[in-house]
């Protein structure tokens, strides 16, 4: 009985998500009488009952924008932003997590490390960028000197696990919303820009999952066996470890999507990130602040957000 | 036992602390230096801290003597100069008991005229009071001061009396400015380095401003700054012994300040301010948005607690172009783009039709409105806008409009950034409407909502292509130089407009000697604004006040801030509460 109900919930969740995705992707082709960012100056803040006659089936917000158009194009923004961002996060997390878990070490001559660090310092415009250039120049001189004297420079090896875990811990010290909001405050971002920002700030979660699974899988006898056969590490990782190590991401992906849906809506509600003329459920909620009595502006996006997040959470359960 | 209790009760009665009148401000004043005053809130605060020779009596719509004993004696000198002679009140005193004298008036004018090289923040005031050429003082009459003004404009009478008077003995202890005449400071050559005495004065003045952390320079106004939490609250306390309290009855209306405590609650969000008013956490909500005002008026609960006041105002909502941007440097392009603003629709949408359309910067409520009666209000006509853009040298491409290529130079694109105040529904609707109309003809517009604090700085720095801006009207002045003169670029002239001809016209208008000449020049000014389109006047917003019924002394006026701040107080048991306007 419980399983039937669970299966029913999953089906309903999937159906809702498909509906949101279909509505969002088809929004530009739908015969909507109003564009999402275009105010109807003769129908500002009208309720569905007052606006239905003029084609505003769900009314208009206090800025005169059609709520139905905002809802549909908001779904489009959500789909086009969160799905690629969640996939990119998973990809980045899988790559970095597997490298960290497989215990690879990155080895290179010391001047190469120094050159990279110097150029990085300069490229990121850290304090006194000339210092980075000087370090880079010093590294080049060191490398040339070693070659001139026919000596091989010392090789420094860096544990990828320590590097990736350290970077993840560093990102984890700042709350995700604060981090994204701080970057987004610098100016409006495009959909792709915001997606990239979400991925770059959220990869540590999936990376930790994949690392833990990689650590488990690499100790399994069949991996030991292929290693004994002398196969290269990249092949072992790609062919034999990753297919098993990526399993936790299947459960993580819907959760990540739900988190991104919430994050995007929060950013739009705060007026950060996407341009103000990009339709978003969070922006509809923000407009509802202008007139707390206009329930028809707040209710549809709230309901849509609730159902979408709930559906994603239901999908993540086994 | 009962006797003891009664005695204890009678002993514990201490005077109740004064109850503040709480007023909503949409933004922080940022600066209280009377030479800077970056926004209307700062002007309001300055009027509490400082006094001028004349002050506006809102009820009579006339300037009345404040520090002066009466209106100035006026004397024409030849056909190009006017002398205004003021007598200062003998009762007028600074907080340290020293009298306000002619030296303080001269010092205040000289401070406003200090050359730019000194780095004092007086760009706006230097331009606004440039028409005062000389200050004459008489040793035998330390309270008499004469101001020699260029031109014989009738509006000079008000203009010479409305700048804040600052204490010389506090801000220029060594009397360094006394060595310079007003004209010498005004005409200081840009190439000549400032005198060492002037530099020392400027450093001392700036140090004083820094030392006074709130920038609250000493004033002889009725209030002192009692507290300032940035972006949250500002409180003013009535001076216990203000000099005007010693005036013989009846005290002039402009010198009454009955409220012991004024608190300004800084609430940027309009809906939040509306809720605070309904919950009794605010006493006065000035400039209520039209929709909220209508909702409150219809609500029986709100009607029980609140009084509503409206009046026609002089505030014109405009969209300004940054005329220094290459794409917007030519008038035909600006004129074409101005056709994308649906002023009638916007008036209906944002003011529920309660404001008035206007063809120029002087609105219909202004007594001088007849000077622009020949101009029709700007039309909304996107197809004609596209045609005019073509005539202005733009070509439509699939990715937008580009200027015709000249030689090998890259063709500039018509991509516009429109700035407006975030959270301001009226400004956002205007921005969305313009963007929608522009996108219909292929003009790309990016919206840039900006926080109120950052917006002023962005506009002054010219970091925009278009911006939505409300221009404060003043029926007593014809001085539009701070708004459109090339010397005010980077300050009040956010459109960065200014040609030799327009500057000359503005200067002549400010100095117009007779009402007939003023009317003729005003007509030319309005026509010039329409022809050059540095800014597009859309409509005039009415004054709308919603206030707690316990607030007395409240009436709506057309002039900013829409009410007489110094008349407000809480109604006592014997005094009737505020009565809503019919």
């Amino acid at each position: 009985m419980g399983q039937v109900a669970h299966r029913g919930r999953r089906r309903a969740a999937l159906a809702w998500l498909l509906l949101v995705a279909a509505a969002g992707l088809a929004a530009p082709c739908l015969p909507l009488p109003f564009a999402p960012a275009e105010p109807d100056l003769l129908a500002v803040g009208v309720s569905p009952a007052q606006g239905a006659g003029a084609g505003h089936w769900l009314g208009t917000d206090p800025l005169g924008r059609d709520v139905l158009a905002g809802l549909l194009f908001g779904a489009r923004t959500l789909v086009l932003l969160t799905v690629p961002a969640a996939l990119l996060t998973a990809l980045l997390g899988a790559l970095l997590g597997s490298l960290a878990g497989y215990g690879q070490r990155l080895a290179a001559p010391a001047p190469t490390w120094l050159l990279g660090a110097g150029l990085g310092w300069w490229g990121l415009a850290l304090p006194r960028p000339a210092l980075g250039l000087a370090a880079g120049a010093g590294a080049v001189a060191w490398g040339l000197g070693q070659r001139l004297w026919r000596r091989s420079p010392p090789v420094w090896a860096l544990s990828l696990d320590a590097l990736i875990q350290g970077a993840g811990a560093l990102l984890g010290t700042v709350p995700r919303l604060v981090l994204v909001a701080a970057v987004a405050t610098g100016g409006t971002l495009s959909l792709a820009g915001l997606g990239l920002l979400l991925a770059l700030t959220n990869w540590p979660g999936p990376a930790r999952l994949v690392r833990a699974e990689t650590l488990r899988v690499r100790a399994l006898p069949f991996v030991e066996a292929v290693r004994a056969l002398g196969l290269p590490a990249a092949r072992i990782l790609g062919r034999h470890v990753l297919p098993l190590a990526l399993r936790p991401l299947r459960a993580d992906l819907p959760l990540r999507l739900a988190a991104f849906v919430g994050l995007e809506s929060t950013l739009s509600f705060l007026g950060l990130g996407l341009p103000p003329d990009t339709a978003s459920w969070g922006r509809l909620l923000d407009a509802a602040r202008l007139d707390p009595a206009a329930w028809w502006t707040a209710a549809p996006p709230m309901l849509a957000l609730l159902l979408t997040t709930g559906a994603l959470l239901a999908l993540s359960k086994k | 036992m009962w006797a003891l209790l009664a005695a204890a009760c009678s002993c514990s009665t201490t005077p109740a602390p004064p109850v503040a009148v709480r007023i909503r401000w949409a933004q922080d004043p940022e600066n209280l230096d009377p030479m800077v005053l970056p926004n209307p809130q700062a002007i309001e605060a300055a009027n509490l801290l400082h006094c001028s020779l004349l002050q506006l009596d809102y009820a009579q719509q006339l300037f009345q003597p404040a520090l002066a004993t009466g209106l100035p004696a006026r004397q024409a000198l030849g056909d190009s100069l006017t002398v205004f002679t003021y007598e200062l009140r003998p009762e007028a005193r600074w907080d340290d008991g020293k009298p306000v004298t002619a030296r303080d008036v001269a010092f205040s004018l000289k401070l406003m005229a200090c050359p730019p090289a000194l780095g004092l923040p007086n760009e706006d005031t230097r331009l606004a009071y440039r028409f005062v050429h000389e200050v004459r003082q008489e040793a035998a009459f330390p309270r008499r001061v004469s101001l020699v003004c260029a031109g014989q404009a009738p509006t000079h009478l008000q203009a010479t009396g409305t700048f804040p008077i600052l204490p010389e003995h506090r801000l220029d202890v060594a009397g360094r400015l006394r060595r310079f005449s007003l004209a010498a400071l005004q005409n200081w050559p840009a190439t000549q380095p400032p005198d060492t005495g002037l530099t020392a004065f400027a450093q001392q003045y700036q140090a004083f401003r820094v030392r006074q952390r709130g920038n609250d320079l000493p004033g002889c106004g009725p209030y002192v700054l009692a507290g300032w939490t940035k972006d949250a609250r500002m409180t003013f306390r009535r001076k216990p012994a203000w000099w005007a309290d010693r005036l013989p009855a009846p005290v002039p209306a402009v010198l009454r300040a009955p409220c012991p405590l004024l608190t300004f609650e800084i609430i940027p969000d309009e809906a939040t301010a509306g809720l605070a008013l309904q919950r009794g956490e605010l006493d006065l909500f000035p400039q209520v948005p039209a929709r909220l005002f209508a909702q409150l008026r219809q609500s029986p609960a709100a009607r029980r607690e609140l009084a509503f006041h409206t009046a026609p105002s002089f505030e014109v909502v405009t969209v300004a172009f940054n005329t220094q941007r290459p794409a917007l440097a030519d008038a035909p392009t600006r004129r074409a783009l101005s056709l994308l603003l649906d002023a009638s629709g916007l008036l209906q949408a944002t003011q529920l039709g309660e404001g008035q359309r206007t063809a120029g910067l002087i609105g219909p409520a202004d007594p001088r409105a007849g000077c622009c009666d020949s101009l029709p209000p700007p039309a909304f006509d996107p197809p004609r806008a596209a045609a005019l853009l073509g005539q202005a040298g733009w070509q439509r491409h699939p990715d937008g409009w580009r200027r015709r290529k000249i030689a090998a130079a890259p063709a500039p694109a018509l991509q516009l950034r429109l700035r407006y105040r975030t959270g301001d529904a009226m400004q956002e609707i205007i921005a969305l409407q313009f963007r929608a109309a522009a996108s219909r003809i292929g003009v790309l517009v990016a919206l840039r909502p900006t926080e109120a604090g950052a917006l002023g700085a962005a506009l002054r720095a010219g970091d925009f292509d278009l911006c939505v801006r409300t221009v404060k009207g003043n029926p007593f002045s014809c001085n539009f130089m701070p708004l459109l003169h090339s010397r005010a670029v980077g300050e009040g002239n956010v459109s960065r407009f200014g040609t030799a001809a327009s500057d000359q016209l503005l200067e002549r208008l400010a100095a117009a000697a007779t009402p007939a000449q003023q009317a003729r020049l005003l007509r030319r000014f309005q026509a010039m604004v329409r022809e050059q389109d540095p800014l597009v006047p859309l409509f005039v917003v009415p004054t709308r006040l919603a206030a707690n019924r316990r607030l007395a002394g409240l009436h709506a006026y057309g002039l900013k801030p829409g009410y007489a701040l110094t008349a407000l107080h809480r109604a006592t048991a014997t005094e009737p509460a505020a009565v809503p306007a019919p």
Side-chain angles (χ1 to χ4, degrees):
Chain A
M1 183 67 186
Q3 264 202 342
V4 173
H6 177 66
R7 207 175 300 142
R9 271 201 298 273
R10 279 179 71 90
R11 279 184 189 160
L14 202 61
W16 169 255
L17 291 175
L18 283 175
L19 180 70
V20 170
L25 294 175
C29 314
L30 295 175
L32 294 172
F34 300 97
E38 190 174 332
D40 183 350
L41 300 180
L42 298 175
V44 174
V46 297
S47 66
Q50 296 165 317
H56 296 293
W57 300 106
L58 293 183
T60 61
D61 70 5
L63 300 175
R65 296 174 299 192
D66 187 62
V67 174
L68 178 62
L71 206 60
L72 291 172
F73 278 84
R76 181 179 176 77
T77 303
L78 208 68
V79 172
L80 294 181
L81 174 74
T82 56
V83 173
L87 289 175
L88 187 62
T89 308
L91 188 72
L92 210 57
L95 183 72
L96 295 173
S98 58
L99 284 175
Y102 201 67
Q104 289 296 293
R105 293 169 75 81
L106 209 58
T112 310
W113 284 114
L114 195 59
L115 180 67
L119 290 180
W121 187 280
W122 173 75
L124 292 171
L126 293 175
R128 297 181 186 278
L131 208 66
L133 280 182
V140 172
W142 186 12
L144 288 175
Q146 294 283 349
R147 185 166 286 186
L148 204 66
W149 296 103
R150 293 177 187 280
R151 284 185 193 167
S152 51
V155 174
W156 291 349
L158 189 69
S159 161
L160 275 178
D161 189 21
L163 187 69
I164 291 165
Q165 288 231 78
L170 193 68
L171 273 176
T173 54
V174 186
R176 213 66 83 228
L177 176 63
V178 175
L179 193 65
V180 176
V183 178
T185 309
T188 51
L189 295 167
S190 63
L191 265 183
L194 185 58
L196 194 65
L197 180 64
L198 292 179
L200 287 176
T201 50
N202 283 275
W203 60 264
R208 260 182 233 119
L209 290 174
V210 174
R211 176 183 172 275
E213 196 63 9
T214 308
L215 284 173
R216 188 186 67 81
V217 174
R218 64 176 280 201
L220 293 177
F222 79 93
V223 178
E224 294 290 338
V226 290
R227 201 180 289 155
L229 284 173
L231 288 181
R235 192 164 169 195
I236 300 171
L237 190 62
R239 281 273 181 88
H240 303 283
V241 178
L242 268 184
L244 294 173
L246 292 184
R247 276 185 186 167
L249 290 187
R250 277 192 294 185
D252 181 67
L253 192 65
L255 290 175
R256 193 67 43 198
L257 269 170
F260 284 179
V261 166
L263 200 56
E264 186 277 324
S265 302
T266 309
L267 286 174
S268 296
F269 180 76
L270 295 173
L272 301 170
L274 295 172
D277 45 346
T278 302
S280 157
W281 293 351
R283 209 165 286 282
L284 266 178
L285 283 172
D286 178 37
R289 277 194 314 160
L290 295 171
D291 183 2
W295 58 267
W296 57 91
T297 309
M302 271 168 63
L303 196 64
L305 272 172
L306 195 71
L307 288 175
T308 308
T309 314
L312 287 165
L313 292 177
L315 276 191
S316 70
K317 288 179 187 162
K318 272 197 174 179
Chain B
M1 181 71 177
W2 285 114
L4 275 173
L5 270 174
C9 289
S10 64
C11 288
S12 65
T13 50
T14 49
V19 182
V21 167
R22 298 153 303 171
I23 302 167
R24 183 252 182 174
W25 266 352
Q27 69 177 100
D28 194 271
E30 296 172 30
N31 200 316
L32 294 187
D33 187 331
M35 284 198 296
V36 182
L37 304 182
N39 53 45
Q41 287 75 20
I43 296 171
E44 238 178 299
N47 285 337
L48 296 173
L49 298 170
H50 303 280
C51 246
S52 45
L53 297 169
L54 308 176
Q55 276 179 204
L56 181 66
D57 182 341
Y58 283 87
Q60 296 189 34
Q61 297 283 295
L62 285 172
F63 278 93
Q64 301 285 13
L67 277 175
T69 52
L71 292 176
R74 179 185 173 145
Q75 183 196 355
L77 277 187
D79 58 356
S80 62
L81 295 173
T82 319
V83 182
F84 293 95
T85 303
Y86 288 92
E87 290 281 347
L88 297 171
R89 289 184 193 272
E91 298 88 354
R93 309 247 149 204
W94 300 104
D95 292 347
D96 55 11
K98 294 203 166 139
V100 181
T101 65
R103 281 189 186 283
D104 297 314
V105 179
F107 166 75
S108 306
L109 277 167
K110 287 177 184 177
L111 180 64
M112 293 192 291
C114 277
L118 290 177
L120 292 174
N122 61 344
E123 291 85 355
D124 267 358
T125 49
R126 192 188 310 126
L127 197 62
Y129 290 95
R130 207 178 159 76
F131 67 93
V132 184
H133 279 193
E134 190 187 340
V135 193
R136 290 179 185 165
Q137 301 168 62
E138 296 172 47
F141 301 99
R143 292 197 306 273
R144 182 177 297 168
V145 63
S146 301
L147 309 180
V148 182
C149 302
Q152 297 179 338
T155 51
H156 278 358
L157 189 136
Q158 288 90 23
T160 52
T162 49
F163 55 90
I165 307 298
L166 297 172
E168 186 201 41
H169 69 280
R170 295 282 307 277
L171 300 172
D172 186 15
V173 182
R176 290 187 175 99
L177 281 188
R178 281 188 210 168
R179 292 195 291 118
F180 300 92
S181 70
L182 187 63
L185 292 170
Q186 284 172 337
N187 303 318
W188 197 276
T191 51
Q192 185 182 334
D195 175 271
T196 49
L198 277 182
T199 311
F201 163 72
Q203 284 169 351
Q204 183 195 336
Y205 181 78
Q206 298 282 32
F208 192 93
R209 289 181 65 206
V210 173
R211 215 165 42 242
Q212 301 291 101
R213 284 191 302 166
N215 286 342
D216 48 337
L217 298 176
C220 56
Y223 289 87
V224 287
L225 185 65
W228 184 1
T229 309
K230 189 153 169 46
D231 293 323
R233 182 173 297 108
M234 193 172 232
T235 305
F236 294 89
R237 181 171 289 114
R238 172 72 154 78
K239 288 175 184 168
W242 185 40
W243 61 266
D245 297 339
R246 290 191 289 274
L247 288 175
V251 177
V254 294
L255 292 175
R256 285 180 211 147
C259 184
L261 208 58
L262 285 167
T263 299
F264 294 92
E265 303 285 351
I266 298 158
I267 308 175
D269 189 72
E270 291 162 348
T272 310
L275 289 173
L277 181 73
Q278 290 176 77
R279 286 208 305 254
E281 291 164 7
L282 274 181
D283 295 310
L284 173 60
F285 185 172
Q287 289 312 111
V288 187
R291 200 160 296 278
L292 178 60
F293 197 69
Q295 282 172 2
L296 290 174
R297 279 182 123 169
Q298 284 165 10
S299 154
R303 276 209 306 271
R304 269 196 304 277
E305 291 293 320
L306 304 175
F308 303 96
H309 306 257
T310 58
S313 90
F314 307 102
E315 271 191 42
V316 181
V317 178
T318 66
V319 170
F321 294 103
N322 182 349
T323 58
Q324 285 187 352
R325 294 276 187 205
L328 299 171
D330 60 309
T333 302
R334 298 196 294 267
R335 212 171 303 135
L337 292 172
S338 71
L339 296 176
L340 298 173
L341 286 157
D342 182 3
S344 292
L346 289 168
L347 177 63
Q348 180 59 41
T350 62
Q351 308 300 317
L352 303 178
E354 282 175 6
Q356 290 161 299
R357 288 288 311 277
T358 177
L361 289 170
I362 294 173
D366 196 301
R368 304 158 301 176
C371 300
C372 58
D373 52 2
S374 58
L375 293 173
F380 173 57
D381 194 348
R384 186 163 155 66
L388 283 181
L389 278 178
Q391 288 171 23
W394 296 93
Q395 283 178 326
R396 192 168 180 175
H397 294 268
D399 61 340
W401 291 77
R402 290 183 181 280
R403 192 74 96 173
R404 287 188 195 103
K405 223 173 182 175
I406 303 163
L414 190 59
Q415 292 179 340
L416 305 169
R417 284 181 311 145
L418 198 166
R419 274 198 198 278
Y420 59 92
R421 196 167 67 224
T422 187
D424 186 320
M426 180 189 75
Q427 295 204 3
E428 192 157 2
I429 292 178
I430 294 171
L432 286 169
Q433 185 276 315
F434 180 79
R435 189 195 163 279
S439 73
R440 239 176 275 144
I441 62 162
V443 176
L444 303 173
V445 179
L447 303 183
R448 293 283 181 271
T450 311
E451 290 296 332
L455 183 64
L459 299 190
R460 282 192 292 276
D463 184 16
F464 69 99
D465 294 313
L466 294 99
C467 68
V468 185
R469 191 184 180 213
T470 303
V471 174
K472 189 182 69 167
N474 181 355
F476 304 107
S477 170
C478 275
N479 187 357
F480 290 92
M481 287 199 284
L483 192 65
L484 286 169
H485 198 283
S486 59
R487 277 201 297 264
V489 168
E491 289 303 318
N493 182 1
V494 298
S495 64
R496 307 174 96 76
F497 173 75
T499 62
S502 69
D503 286 354
Q504 195 187 17
L505 176 59
L506 290 171
E507 284 161 17
R508 286 180 60 200
L509 178 58
T514 62
Q517 190 188 5
Q518 193 184 70
R520 187 168 48 81
L521 289 168
L522 263 179
R523 197 178 287 271
R524 275 184 58 194
F525 166 71
Q526 298 270 54
M528 183 273 289
V529 171
R530 175 60 74 80
E531 190 187 314
Q532 293 293 324
D533 264 329
L535 38 82
V536 188
L538 296 177
F539 50 81
V540 181
V541 286
T543 298
R544 291 190 203 90
L545 308 174
N548 194 305
R549 283 190 181 276
R550 288 188 296 275
L551 197 63
L554 180 69
H555 298 281
Y557 303 111
L559 277 164
K560 268 274 188 188
Y563 55 93
L565 192 52
T566 49
L568 297 182
H569 61 283
R570 285 189 175 276
T572 56
T574 55
E575 190 179 12
V579 179

